[in-house]
Amino acid sequence: MADGYAPSTEEIRTGLLDHAMNRLQHLLTVVDRSRYHACTDAVLGLPAQTIVDYAGATGTGLIVMGTHGRTGLAHLLMGSVAEQVVRTAPCPVLTVHQTAVADEVLSDLTHLGAFRHVRVPVAV
């Protein structure tokens, strides 16, 4: 990087989205995509509102998202993206605390044919 060079806002945005997509490609394997009929995408914005807007725009049938399980003062001060999504989403929201549990629940739901398209928000 040359002295005095500052990347443009668009370069930063593109770099962040590219990095996020690369991470998502590694987190959700081809087998998982097929098994859960899932896809990955990266968007920038305020987390809860962006997840809800994306779900509405893509016709998502189920949002699956993790929770940190914060309570008390930590929850009061930091809020909960999952809680905001649950309250405002246009479709059902499944919140899970552990990855292993999420995998098991998703497997059960997709085998039952309950949902055609599942979106799994991941913070990267």
Side-chain angles (χ1 to χ4, degrees):
M1 189 179 297
D3 287 339
Y5 172 78
S8 71
T9 302
E10 189 57 36
E11 286 178 76
I12 294 170
R13 179 185 173 90
T14 301
L16 287 171
L17 289 172
D18 288 346
H19 177 73
M21 283 304 294
N22 287 332
R23 288 199 54 201
L24 289 171
Q25 296 296 331
H26 290 97
L27 289 172
L28 191 64
T29 67
V30 174
V31 173
D32 288 340
R33 290 171 210 271
S34 177
R35 182 180 351 164
Y36 303 132
H37 307 284
C39 64
T40 59
D41 201 356
V43 294
L44 294 176
L46 298 172
Q49 187 61 51
T50 302
I51 291 166
V52 169
D53 291 347
Y54 184 85
T58 59
T60 298
L62 173 68
I63 298 171
V64 180
M65 59 190 308
T67 64
H68 292 287
R70 291 187 182 101
T71 59
L73 186 59
H75 177 75
L76 180 65
L77 294 175
M78 295 176 34
S80 168
V81 171
E83 186 178 331
Q84 291 174 331
V85 171
V86 166
R87 280 190 271 123
T88 59
C91 61
V93 179
L94 172 65
T95 59
V96 293
H97 190 64
Q98 296 176 335
T99 303
V101 172
D103 188 46
E104 182 181 321
V105 170
L106 276 175
S107 181
D108 291 347
L109 288 173
T110 54
H111 280 85
L112 293 172
F115 302 97
R116 286 189 36 189
H117 300 286
V118 177
R119 305 285 179 195
V120 183
V122 177
V124 290

